[in-house]
């Protein structure tokens, strides 16, 4: 099937897809559920291309693999685990079994405990030594940071709980800046770590405990933990009543729906958090029920496969025209690149196609004044993914929102249409002439024919954020299934961790002679300057 797709890709390469885009195409090459819409009309995918892409799904038997995931099969084969983040938002979807045991009673009772605790923190029923909690510090990294940090920012208009801070980096600059802005007597520290062994998180957690211990008589009483490790949280001294556990079938980067989302729940309140879960559940149901060509996650994935594995465009830019989604690109970098950045298939064979793409981006319109130059006129094609809401949260500034929307639509139009030499000439005709006019005009040519997709929705509320994040999660799953890889392990992060542990004593002064020349010289340089 890849051969047929590649042949088709070659045959249509260079075609101006602008010529395909009419009102019908905008309907046929889009997908939606409820009020959220994916438009992929501004790509070079035509009916034949889409049919071939959909054939890929049949070849890999996507339907059975999807059902296996939702039904708790151990699809994370290298770790022998089920993949059931969907159970965390299965609010009224019935039993979900892992090894014959329904996990839903435990999921719902943990959600209930989180809601009670969040409500108590918000109301002041749970107090610090100095009274009502004013600041929550979430200490975690990767999936134990990026989801809630992105979500709290995304839902800033709904944030009516205490201030939330996120400490992730082992760089002392991160924690010291946050702690300087908090009063230990009214701060709740949440240690978020699935394994409770991650060195950055445990180091920061100890620093926070010492900081609190200087001013508070019982620092552990102002700590909560989110983890799968009961032993680890107990050894740290956190009372079981403030430990919110989950199972190993929740992957770190898929975990914001459960305990790892506690800081977000405290920020926006349990009701808004439930709306967020409902949005995700809505996307889950759509993913399970819609025909492939109308299925948003499936089509989003196939567009990704078309651009990366068929056309060879190896990066994609995520460009939210929604400032509150400013951390979405960082969140998606982990979700997509830790999941699908694999060079070996599930059965241990080398991949014969590109692995998942490099994902990057910034909110519009800021990006327009920074890197869009390269997107419009650079030599590489970078598929762009725009996100835009019909309405913002400030009704009195709606005219500014309209300008934002106009900018978003203008960018995808500019990328598609470009500007040819004749038009460029006409732009500078009065100012230059002869060879200089030609030279100047050439600099103003936009080749166009650059693909983009747009995800549009009414407003970024908790329900919609849930839909968007679940949409991307399922996209990653579908792309992973098509590539035949395991999207749920992350062996690629291990080597660096091991070497860092081995290097720590050397940085502190132990003999560096076993190290390569470059590393030993860098250690020497840094030691000379005081490391
Ligand atoms: O190093 C990668 C990783 O394992 C991520 O997959 C994970 O989200 C992150 O570290 C944090 O892990 P933990 O929640 O166990 O501290």
């Amino acid at each position: 099937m890849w051969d047929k797709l590649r042949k088709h890709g070659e045959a249509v390469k260079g075609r101006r897809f602008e010529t395909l885009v009419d009102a019908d195409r905008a309907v046929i090459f889009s997908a939606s559920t409820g009020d959220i819409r994916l438009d992929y009309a501004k790509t070079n995918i035509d009916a034949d291309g889409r049919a071939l892409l959909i054939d890929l799904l049949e070849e890999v038997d996507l339907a059975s693999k999807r059902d296996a995931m939702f039904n708790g099969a151990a699809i994370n084969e290298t770790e022998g685990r089920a993949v059931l983040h969907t159970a965390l938002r299965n609010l009224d979807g019935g039993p979900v079994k892992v090894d014959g045991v329904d996990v839903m009673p435990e999921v719902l009772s943990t959600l209930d405990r989180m809601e009670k605790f969040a409500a108590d923190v918000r109301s002041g029923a749970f107090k610090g030594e100095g009274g009502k909690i004013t600041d929550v510090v979430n200490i975690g990294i990767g999936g134990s940071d990026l989801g809630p940090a992105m979500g709290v920012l995304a839902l800033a208009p709904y944030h009516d709980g205490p201030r939330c801070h996120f400490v992730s980096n082992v760089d002392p600059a991160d924690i010291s800046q946050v702690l300087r802005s908090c009063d230990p007597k009214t701060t709740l520290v949440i240690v978020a770590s699935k394994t409770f062994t991650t060195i950055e998180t445990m180091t920061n957690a100890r620093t926070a405990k010492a900081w609190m211990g200087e001013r508070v008589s019982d620092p552990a009483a102002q700590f909560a933990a989110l983890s799968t490790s009961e032993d680890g949280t107990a050894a740290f001294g956190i009372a079981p009543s403030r430990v919110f556990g989950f199972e190993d079938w929740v992957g770190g980067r898929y975990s914001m729906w459960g305990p790892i989302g506690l800081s977000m729940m405290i920020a926006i309140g349990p009701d808004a958090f439930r709306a967020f879960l409902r949005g995700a559940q809505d996307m889950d149901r759509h993913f399970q029920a819609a025909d492939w060509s109308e299925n948003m996650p499936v089509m989003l994935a196939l567009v990704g496969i078309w651009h990366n594995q068929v056309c060879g465009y190896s990066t994609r830019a995520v460009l939210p025209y929604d400032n509150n989604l400013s951390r979405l690109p960082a969140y998606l970098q982990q979700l997509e690149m830790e999941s699908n950045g694999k060079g070996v298939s599930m059965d241990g064979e080398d991949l014969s196609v590109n692995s998942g793409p490099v994902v990057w981006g910034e909110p519009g319109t800021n990006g327009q004044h920074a890197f869009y130059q390269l997107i419009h006129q650079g030599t590489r094609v970078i598929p762009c993914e725009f996100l835009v809401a019909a309405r913002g949260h400030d009704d009195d500034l709606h005219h500014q929102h309209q300008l934002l929307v106009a900018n978003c639509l203008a960018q995808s139009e500019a990328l598609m249409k470009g500007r040819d030499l004749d038009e460029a000439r006409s732009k500078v005709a009065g100012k230059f002439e002869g060879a200089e006019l030609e030279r100047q005009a050439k600099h103003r040519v936009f080749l166009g024919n650059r693909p983009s997709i747009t995800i549009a929705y009414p407003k970024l509320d908790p329900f919609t954020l849930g839909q968007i994040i679940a949409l991307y999660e399922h996209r990653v799953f579908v792309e992973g299934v098509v590539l035949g890889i395991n999207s749920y392990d992350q062996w690629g992060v291990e080597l660096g961790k091991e070497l860092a542990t081995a290097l720590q004593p050397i940085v502190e002064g132990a003999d560096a002679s076993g190290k390569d020349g470059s590393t030993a010289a860098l250690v020497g340089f840094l030691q000379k300057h005081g490391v």
Side-chain angles (χ1 to χ4, degrees):
M1 195 50 67
W2 286 112
D3 283 347
K4 280 193 187 164
L5 258 170
R6 276 194 202 105
K7 267 195 201 126
H8 180 74
E10 277 302 312
V12 300
K13 192 170 160 186
R15 166 179 65 184
R16 296 223 45 111
F17 64 79
E18 180 193 351
T19 58
L20 308 174
V21 181
D22 57 16
D24 284 348
R25 180 171 166 88
V27 174
I28 300 166
F29 290 79
S30 67
S32 58
T33 172
D35 286 335
I36 182 167
R37 173 186 171 101
L38 162 69
D39 179 301
Y40 59 99
K42 291 191 186 86
T43 67
N44 199 17
I45 299 174
D46 57 18
D48 291 342
R50 185 169 68 181
L52 289 170
L53 287 163
I54 288 175
D55 285 348
L56 275 183
L57 307 178
E58 304 307 335
E59 202 166 279
V60 295
D61 198 4
L62 178 69
S64 330
K65 298 217 163 82
R66 173 197 59 194
D67 296 346
M69 175 174 73
F70 277 92
N71 292 331
I75 64 165
N76 174 356
E77 292 179 19
T78 58
E79 296 181 306
R81 292 177 183 167
V83 174
L84 270 181
H85 45 281
T86 50
L88 299 176
R89 58 227 190 189
N90 178 39
L91 294 179
D92 45 18
V96 177
K97 292 191 177 166
V98 176
D99 296 331
V101 178
D102 183 11
V103 300
M104 287 317 299
E106 189 64 35
V107 165
L108 296 174
S109 106
T110 302
L111 178 61
D112 199 45
R113 283 182 58 232
M114 285 169 65
E115 290 184 333
K116 285 201 173 74
F117 182 65
D120 284 353
V121 172
R122 286 163 60 83
S123 71
F126 175 88
K127 288 186 179 32
E129 204 168 288
K132 190 171 176 181
I133 295 296
T134 55
D135 293 84
V136 173
V137 178
N138 184 90
I139 297 179
I141 196 165
S144 298
D145 165 73
L146 288 162
M150 176 275 295
V152 167
L153 210 57
L155 298 177
Y158 302 86
H159 189 156
D160 54 7
R163 284 183 291 271
C164 282
H165 312 266
F166 292 88
V167 172
S168 51
N169 205 321
V170 77
D171 184 337
D174 197 6
I175 191 154
S176 61
Q177 272 163 31
V178 168
L179 297 186
R180 257 199 304 275
S181 69
C182 299
D183 176 354
K185 294 190 172 194
T186 57
T187 296
L188 169 70
V189 176
I190 299 178
V191 185
S193 176
K194 177 175 168 179
T195 53
F196 232 68
T197 57
T198 304
I199 194 152
E200 292 93 331
T201 300
M202 298 324 295
T203 305
N204 278 323
R206 283 191 291 272
T207 300
K209 204 169 168 192
W211 165 80
M212 199 171 274
E214 283 170 15
R215 298 264 314 274
V216 167
S217 55
D218 183 7
Q222 284 175 226
F223 271 68
L226 320 173
S227 185
T228 56
S229 168
E230 284 173 23
D231 293 348
T233 56
F236 195 82
I238 302 178
S241 60
R242 288 188 311 284
V243 175
F244 300 90
F246 53 104
E247 300 294 326
D248 67 4
W249 39 257
V250 181
R253 53 195 175 273
Y254 296 85
S255 62
M256 69 182 295
W257 316 100
I260 294 295
L262 182 64
S263 51
M264 192 174 153
M265 186 191 272
I266 293 173
I268 62 174
D271 291 348
F273 193 83
R274 269 198 185 238
F276 168 67
L277 298 184
R278 290 245 174 250
Q281 190 183 20
D282 180 73
M283 188 56 73
D284 293 343
R285 287 183 169 149
H286 166 76
F287 177 46
Q288 288 175 286
D291 289 345
W292 296 147
S293 64
E294 286 162 22
N295 195 307
M296 285 184 78
V298 168
M299 290 318 305
L300 188 59
L302 292 182
V303 170
I305 295 283
W306 170 260
H307 285 146
N308 183 9
Q309 282 78 17
V310 181
C311 301
Y313 309 146
S314 57
T315 88
R316 61 179 166 235
V318 180
L319 307 166
Y321 277 68
D322 202 326
N323 204 52
N324 290 338
L325 286 177
S326 58
R327 291 293 283 163
L328 182 70
Y331 171 83
L332 291 181
Q333 281 178 333
Q334 188 199 18
L335 183 70
E336 302 209 16
M337 298 202 277
E338 201 172 71
S339 296
N340 286 346
K342 319 273 164 74
V344 167
S345 67
M346 190 74 93
D347 51 15
E349 299 296 321
D350 290 342
L351 279 199
S352 62
V353 288
N354 278 349
S355 57
V358 176
V359 179
W360 59 285
E362 273 288 314
T365 59
N366 297 11
Q368 289 173 210
H369 298 273
F371 52 79
Y372 278 38
Q373 166 66 43
L374 180 134
I375 294 180
H376 283 289
Q377 288 191 316
T379 51
R380 296 175 201 83
V381 174
I382 298 167
C384 291
E385 307 201 344
F386 297 100
L387 292 104
V388 67
R391 295 189 311 280
H393 290 89
D394 301 285
D395 289 344
D396 49 337
L397 295 176
H398 189 58
H399 63 288
Q400 257 185 256
H401 188 79
Q402 288 172 325
L403 182 56
L404 177 75
V405 171
N407 268 277
C408 179
L409 299 178
Q411 290 301 325
S412 61
E413 188 183 342
L415 286 167
M416 175 174 72
K417 290 189 171 161
R419 173 175 284 159
D420 65 17
L421 191 56
D422 282 347
E423 206 186 327
R425 262 195 216 106
S426 72
K427 286 276 167 194
V428 286
K431 292 189 198 148
F432 306 102
E433 49 190 34
E436 184 58 9
L437 187 143
E438 286 304 298
R439 191 170 77 93
Q440 291 284 348
K442 198 83 199 294
H443 286 274
R444 288 160 173 79
V445 167
F446 292 68
L447 294 177
N449 216 23
R450 300 196 164 193
S452 69
I453 59 139
T454 301
I455 296 170
Y457 44 90
K459 186 172 179 167
L460 188 62
D461 57 17
F463 185 88
T464 306
L465 182 69
Q467 287 179 308
I468 291 172
I469 302 304
L471 166 67
Y472 276 104
E473 284 180 347
H474 294 318
R475 171 212 223 161
V476 167
F477 168 75
V478 176
E479 288 195 12
V481 169
V482 169
L483 298 179
I485 61 181
N486 181 2
S487 300
Y488 300 103
D489 60 12
Q490 55 283 321
W491 301 110
V493 301
E494 294 304 325
L495 179 57
K497 286 185 192 171
E498 282 166 31
L499 294 184
T501 305
L503 264 162
Q504 192 176 359
I506 295 174
V507 169
E508 288 169 359
D511 180 21
S513 57
K515 286 287 156 191
D516 65 86
S518 163
T519 306
L522 285 166
V523 168
F525 175 86
L526 292 165
Q527 280 172 340
K528 191 172 134 204
H529 290 278
V531 70

